[in-house]
Amino acid sequence: RQTHHHAVASLANASNTIFISIEYRLAPENDPNVIYSDVRSVIEWTCQNKSILSSENAKLGLIGDSGGGHITA
């Protein structure tokens, strides 16, 4: 979300961490397994391509609010 951008960018820069915002399919239109699969695919791609986004040494931070927070947990 744009409202979170500055806070997350500051945290990312200070901690050498990549934070990503994932657009996933929503319930109840989609089965929860589809939602988790969307999120898992993005996380796997990000881990395999950290050097494109930042550096191989960067950590990956998972955050979210509302339902997205539950999914990242």
Side-chain angles (χ1 to χ4, degrees):
R1 290 185 176 179
Q2 284 301 110
T3 57
H4 298 60
H5 177 76
H6 293 294
V8 174
S10 294
L11 181 60
N13 290 331
S15 63
N16 189 33
T17 303
I18 299 168
F19 289 98
I20 53 177
S21 177
I22 302 173
E23 293 287 331
Y24 53 87
R25 290 174 274 188
L26 302 175
E29 296 84 8
N30 295 283
D31 181 87
N33 291 325
V34 171
I35 297 167
Y36 293 125
S37 178
D38 287 350
V39 173
R40 187 177 311 111
S41 295
V42 173
I43 292 169
E44 289 172 356
W45 183 92
T46 303
C47 288
Q48 294 168 1
N49 293 281
K50 287 193 300 184
S51 63
I52 296 170
L53 302 170
S54 179
S55 72
E56 285 295 325
N57 297 328
K59 297 174 286 265
L60 178 61
L62 301 176
I63 58 174
D65 57 4
S66 192
H70 293 280
I71 291 171
T72 61

